[in-house]
Amino acid sequence: MNHSLNQQIMNEAFFDKKDYKSLDRVDGRLKVTGAARYSAEYQLSGLVYAVLVESKIAKGTIKSIDSKAAERAPGVLAVISHVNAIKVPGYQTSNQHPSEPPVNGQPLRAFYDNNVYYNGQPVAVVVASTLEKAQYGASLVKIQYEKEQHKTDFDANMESAVLPAQAKKNPKSPVADYSRGDKNAFANAPVKIDAEYVLPTEVHNPMELQAITAHWEAEDKLTVYDKVQGTQPTQKQFAKEWNLPPENVKVIATFVGGAFGNGLHNWPHETAAIIAAKQVKKPVKLVLTREQMFTMVGYRPYTWQKIQMGATKDGKLVAINHESVGQTSSYEEFTESTLQQTRMMYASPNINTRYRILKLDVSTPIWMRGPGEATGAFALESAMDEMAFSLNIDPIEFRLMNYTDSDPDKQLPWSTKYLKECYDAGKEKIGWEKRKMQPGSVRSGEWLVGYGMGTGTFGANRGVAAVRAELDAEGNLLMQCAITDIGPGTGTAMVQIASNTTGIATDKITFQLGNSQFPKAGNQGGSSTVNSVGPAVQAACNALKEQLKTMIASNGGSQAAFASAKTDDILFVNGQIQIAGSDSAKVDIGTLFKQNNIRKIETTQESKPDENRNKYSMYAFSMHFAEVHVHSLTGQIRVKKVVCCADAGTIISPKTAANQMIGGATGGIGMALMESAIIDHRFGRYVTKDFAEYHVPVHADVPHVEVFFVNKPDTLADPVGSKGLGEIAIIGVAPAIANAIFNATGKRIRELPITPDKLI
């Protein structure tokens, strides 16, 4: 791959002295040397192995399970199913009658009863002394079923889509029907487009397989080493399941090898491992296979969308009607914000959105990077391109003509919005001036050349988080927080915030994470980590400085100046505490601690959202440009260049932020051109079950990617001025590529992925 982080981001002309400089990942050496330990790599005393047995039908009940041969197999310790599994206390305490599940359904309960809800459902687990013996034992389990007629074909059953239960209960729910202005405005618009768009099922498939090591340290004390995106949310869920105090459940997720939403839900395989560990009274390790990753840990749901867009002949939007139907399981309602971008991105006076879900005999979907918004943006940004072409207006100019200077949905001012700067930077770097309005006008030999663009947005979310900070006499700073790191470089960003706040060199700062016993944090998801944990790091560092200031000032004499010094002006430089701009006001840290007969100072500080969130609309924004070449005879598609620009507030860690954007562009290429999970509806089973059948981008598919940041702080959103960019890195990429393909070929493909057969 020929990626670049454009040097304009890195040099002093772009960053002034107060900005954050580039830093290598603080955990990089641990990862490349193999010292980093993931959830499947903990070797506990007496560890045994578990392998799941999956259902072979898509709907029905289990008539019988013959496990005798498996139980007699060498090394097998137990075969566990609904027949003999211990009862999970949390499964039994629902106020609902078993025949009347909760309004929104409920997660699949492992080994709860003999019902089968989808093909590939875990129905038994075999525990053995080695992985190979467990695998062999699992192959010997024989199951007889009572089959029922299943439904897995989305297109054949779309008329059965329903309004989500939460929308029925609450008309103001984000997934309820929405209307602004005149409901019938589209019918009277001078220029109209009416188009349907389809996004297939896409599967997370991170490098690390989902894995858990479960250990009952006592009858009422559980420790799990688990691949999750939130240690404390997972802790609370397992505590609820097993009727334990939360402090009796410890969740460790120090390193996570990629997660895009698949770690935001507690899945049946986790409970299966915990059940197994309790029954065999040994620590149990369970690692999913690649095939099981398609059915057991969620996916981006198959989604149909329809957009009706109307405009005046001079390019002003009149109305947008946007409908969506998303897939969910029969037992649990999953919803996502597919239509949110349509409600707030453009200055259309009349907006109508309608969201429905379709219950099928499949496993439950889950949020996938750019959840909902990435799906919705494909339809919206494709429709914007179609309308611009119908009006013979440049797509960027069309968007600028309908630019919003405040949020038309919430009717609030933006906290910040610098999307125009993104348009300008991307337009220049992609070479937009080479683009022609007439498709097929630009060629390079036998290749048709096209240019496209797409806009992305995602909420600048912020949650509650706390950080413990400890400073020792040698000037080393240790921080702890329960947050996880699923890949973006959380520890690196927090070290940079701490260094920027204190002046302490980054190599003297350690940030520990991924342990539920550390101070409070939620999930790493929804582009909210830096916005939530970063302010807590900042607050903890400032609290340490206040402690030191008080200690120094109490000594009197020449150090009395510290009493009136501003916290921001106190810095740590080469083992000394000093006041910025003063040569005389300096104190050696070691000497100060010795004088006060202490070895360290510590503090724990919490940070949470403030009232600004009720006064302003807070979003991050992105702009993606693509240059695409399409072979005129074969329809082969090559993405030749991608330019991404993000308005994500203060860029804390330029290098890892750019990596995020490049990763999003890579995921967007997969979404646009390759990824699609296919079910054989005769059996309700996926035929794409590995990387041979389910294609993802490889190095040769990912071109030169240039990344730019506006890098203007949004201190209304949070004290560090950052807005998340994990989601906006992918939102808008797929439509940019689809629009470029249309510009190259004149063929508008509205169903992803766009493959050569659709172009010839």
Side-chain angles (χ1 to χ4, degrees):
M1 283 184 284
N2 182 21
H3 298 312
S4 78
L5 174 61
N6 191 283
Q7 290 304 306
Q8 196 174 356
I9 293 178
M10 307 297 292
N11 63 29
E12 291 300 321
F14 195 85
F15 285 110
D16 64 27
K17 290 187 295 183
K18 295 181 181 179
D19 285 311
Y20 293 83
K21 306 301 188 291
S22 184
L23 177 69
D24 290 342
R25 287 177 180 262
V26 296
D27 57 359
R29 182 173 292 275
L30 292 174
K31 290 181 174 178
V32 300
T33 60
R37 190 177 296 180
Y38 295 83
S39 58
E41 297 181 315
Y42 288 86
Q43 296 301 318
L44 307 181
S45 176
L47 182 70
V48 295
Y49 299 81
V51 169
L52 292 170
V53 178
E54 309 154 42
S55 68
K56 302 303 181 186
I57 65 169
K59 185 178 182 181
T61 55
I62 298 170
K63 291 172 59 178
S64 65
I65 297 180
D66 181 358
S67 59
K68 292 179 182 178
E71 290 165 351
R72 290 194 296 264
V76 171
L77 303 175
V79 179
I80 301 168
S81 68
H82 73 279
V83 175
N84 63 340
I86 58 173
K87 301 302 181 184
V88 179
Y91 287 176
Q92 319 302 319
T93 57
S94 171
N95 292 326
Q96 300 287 139
H97 188 275
S99 64
E100 299 175 3
V103 172
N104 294 325
Q106 59 193 352
L108 183 67
R109 294 175 287 183
F111 313 146
Y112 180 70
D113 54 30
N114 67 337
N115 289 317
V116 175
Y117 297 98
Y118 68 90
N119 199 317
Q121 174 182 322
V123 293
V125 63
V126 176
V127 186
S129 56
T130 69
L131 173 62
E132 292 77 11
K133 289 175 180 178
Q135 290 171 330
Y136 177 65
S139 72
L140 299 176
V141 177
K142 306 300 180 185
I143 302 177
Q144 290 188 327
Y145 301 95
E146 189 72 48
K147 291 176 64 175
E148 298 177 27
Q149 186 63 42
H150 64 265
K151 295 179 180 180
T152 57
D153 189 330
F154 186 99
D155 294 334
N157 293 282
M158 203 168 73
E159 71 280 356
S160 301
V162 297
L163 183 70
Q166 60 175 286
K168 293 177 184 176
K169 189 175 181 180
N170 176 17
K172 294 185 178 181
S173 164
V175 295
D177 290 355
Y178 172 90
S179 183
R180 183 171 78 235
D182 181 1
K183 285 188 176 182
N184 301 311
F186 169 75
N188 300 316
V191 182
K192 293 184 279 192
I193 64 165
D194 189 335
E196 297 180 11
Y197 305 87
V198 174
L199 197 79
T201 296
E202 296 173 356
V203 184
H204 294 283
N205 271 324
M207 184 180 295
E208 182 195 16
L209 298 166
Q210 220 80 12
I212 179 173
T213 303
H215 178 34
W216 287 91
E217 298 190 40
E219 191 66 24
D220 62 347
K221 288 190 177 181
L222 171 66
T223 296
V224 295
Y225 306 87
D226 201 0
K227 182 179 181 178
V228 297
Q229 290 177 240
T231 60
Q232 290 179 345
T234 301
Q235 175 193 48
K236 291 174 184 175
Q237 178 62 31
F238 289 154
K240 182 179 178 182
E241 274 193 2
W242 293 95
N243 195 24
L244 297 172
E247 60 270 20
N248 283 22
V249 178
K250 182 165 64 175
V251 179
I252 306 295
T254 309
F255 292 95
V256 176
F260 312 105
N262 47 300
L264 290 175
H265 192 292
N266 291 118
W267 302 106
H269 77 273
E270 295 168 290
T271 299
I274 296 170
I275 290 172
K278 199 164 187 68
Q279 288 198 214
V280 303
K281 301 186 184 308
K282 292 176 180 290
V284 169
K285 179 190 295 186
L286 194 159
V287 182
L288 296 188
T289 65
R290 179 59 63 184
E291 182 174 355
Q292 289 168 344
M293 291 290 289
F294 282 76
T295 57
M296 295 193 189
V297 292
Y299 51 89
R300 192 190 303 280
Y302 191 108
T303 305
W304 168 91
Q305 298 176 77
K306 179 178 181 179
I307 288 189
Q308 295 175 316
M309 182 178 289
T312 62
K313 292 182 180 179
D314 59 358
K316 288 288 187 178
L317 285 171
V318 171
I320 306 176
N321 298 335
H322 191 169
E323 297 179 60
S324 176
V325 178
Q327 174 178 301
T328 190
S329 66
S330 62
Y331 53 89
E332 184 178 10
E333 289 196 2
F334 171 77
T335 62
E336 57 182 358
S337 49
T338 309
L339 306 173
Q340 182 58 35
Q341 186 164 327
T342 299
R343 298 178 183 181
M344 47 67 66
M345 178 57 78
Y346 299 111
S348 174
N350 306 297
I351 299 283
N352 298 289
T353 64
R354 183 178 183 273
Y355 181 78
R356 298 292 184 267
I357 53 175
L358 177 59
K359 299 179 181 182
L360 296 173
D361 298 314
V362 294
S363 60
T364 300
I366 196 61
W367 302 287
M368 188 167 172
R369 195 179 190 189
E373 282 84 349
T375 300
F378 168 62
L380 177 64
E381 293 300 298
S382 295
M384 288 292 287
D385 196 75
E386 295 195 46
M387 179 59 79
F389 181 74
S390 297
L391 296 168
N392 197 33
I393 298 175
D394 178 272
I396 298 177
E397 293 303 315
F398 180 52
R399 285 167 173 79
L400 290 173
M401 292 169 68
N402 293 281
Y403 194 83
T404 59
D405 291 315
S406 61
D407 185 344
D409 176 26
K410 297 178 182 177
Q411 297 185 336
L412 292 172
W414 306 115
S415 53
T416 60
K417 182 182 180 182
Y418 300 108
L419 189 53
K420 288 181 180 178
E421 284 85 339
C422 291
Y423 287 143
D424 291 340
K427 181 178 179 179
E428 176 189 351
K429 297 301 176 182
I430 198 68
W432 194 254
E433 74 280 356
K434 293 181 287 187
R435 181 187 185 276
K436 305 298 181 186
M437 285 294 295
Q438 184 59 39
S441 299
V442 182
R443 300 180 69 101
S444 176
E446 294 184 342
W447 296 83
L448 301 167
V449 180
Y451 298 85
M453 50 88 75
T455 306
T457 188
F458 197 80
N461 302 313
R462 182 184 175 195
V464 179
V467 168
R468 176 182 175 270
E470 174 188 297
L471 182 70
D472 67 20
E474 286 72 44
N476 298 306
L477 177 60
L478 170 67
M479 296 177 293
Q480 295 174 326
C481 180
I483 195 69
T484 55
D485 180 7
I486 62 174
T490 301
T492 306
M494 299 309 148
V495 166
Q496 291 192 263
I497 291 172
S499 179
N500 186 274
T501 305
T502 62
I504 297 175
T506 55
D507 60 1
K508 293 181 74 65
I509 301 174
T510 301
F511 186 82
Q512 295 179 342
L513 47 63
N515 186 325
S516 61
Q517 295 182 319
F518 289 164
K520 182 187 300 184
N523 285 309
Q524 178 159 89
S527 297
S528 61
T529 299
V530 173
N531 315 356
S532 304
V533 181
V537 167
Q538 191 180 70
C541 290
N542 283 330
L544 289 179
K545 291 200 287 186
E546 284 292 330
Q547 287 187 42
L548 292 169
K549 187 173 83 166
T550 301
M551 289 168 57
I552 296 167
S554 66
N555 292 334
S558 62
Q559 308 308 332
F562 277 90
S564 58
K566 295 180 179 179
T567 304
D568 288 348
D569 291 334
I570 296 177
L571 298 174
F572 300 79
V573 180
N574 298 325
Q576 290 187 319
I577 310 161
Q578 66 181 56
I579 300 175
S582 173
D583 293 330
S584 59
K586 295 181 181 179
V587 177
D588 179 77
I589 296 175
T591 302
L592 177 67
F593 279 30
K594 188 174 183 180
Q595 288 172 345
N596 288 271
N597 196 31
I598 58 174
R599 300 183 63 182
K600 62 184 179 182
I601 59 172
E602 64 179 73
T603 184
T604 299
Q605 297 294 319
E606 183 179 274
S607 178
K608 56 186 178 182
D610 58 25
E611 282 300 308
N612 283 335
R613 293 189 169 265
N614 298 322
K615 300 175 183 177
Y616 298 91
S617 183
M618 300 178 181
Y619 286 88
F621 299 92
S622 62
M623 189 66 252
H624 304 280
F625 290 84
E627 178 188 334
V628 171
H629 293 199
V630 181
H631 196 274
S632 57
L633 297 178
T634 67
Q636 181 184 356
I637 304 164
R638 292 180 181 173
V639 181
K640 299 295 287 187
K641 185 177 181 180
V642 173
V643 173
C644 305
C645 186
D647 167 23
T650 300
I651 302 303
I652 302 299
S653 177
K655 185 175 287 189
T656 56
N659 288 343
Q660 280 271 76
M661 295 297 289
I662 292 168
T666 303
I669 290 170
M671 180 186 290
L673 303 181
M674 302 162 193
E675 296 190 52
S676 179
I678 306 298
I679 291 180
D680 183 336
H681 297 301
R682 296 173 299 170
F683 310 106
R685 191 171 186 86
Y686 283 106
V687 294
T688 48
K689 59 185 186 301
D690 53 33
F691 287 135
E693 286 87 18
Y694 184 90
H695 294 170
V696 297
V698 298
H699 285 270
D701 300 312
V702 183
H704 180 71
V705 178
E706 290 191 39
V707 177
F708 295 84
F709 298 108
V710 175
N711 196 36
K712 292 183 179 179
D714 186 344
T715 53
L716 294 171
D718 61 80
V720 300
S722 175
K723 299 193 285 189
L725 57 77
E727 318 298 340
I728 61 169
I730 192 172
I731 300 169
V733 176
I737 294 170
N739 294 338
I741 290 171
F742 172 77
N743 184 243
T745 65
K747 295 182 179 180
R748 178 66 65 180
I749 308 301
R750 301 185 181 94
E751 180 174 354
L752 297 181
I754 304 174
T755 48
D757 58 294
K758 296 176 181 176
L759 294 173
I760 56 175

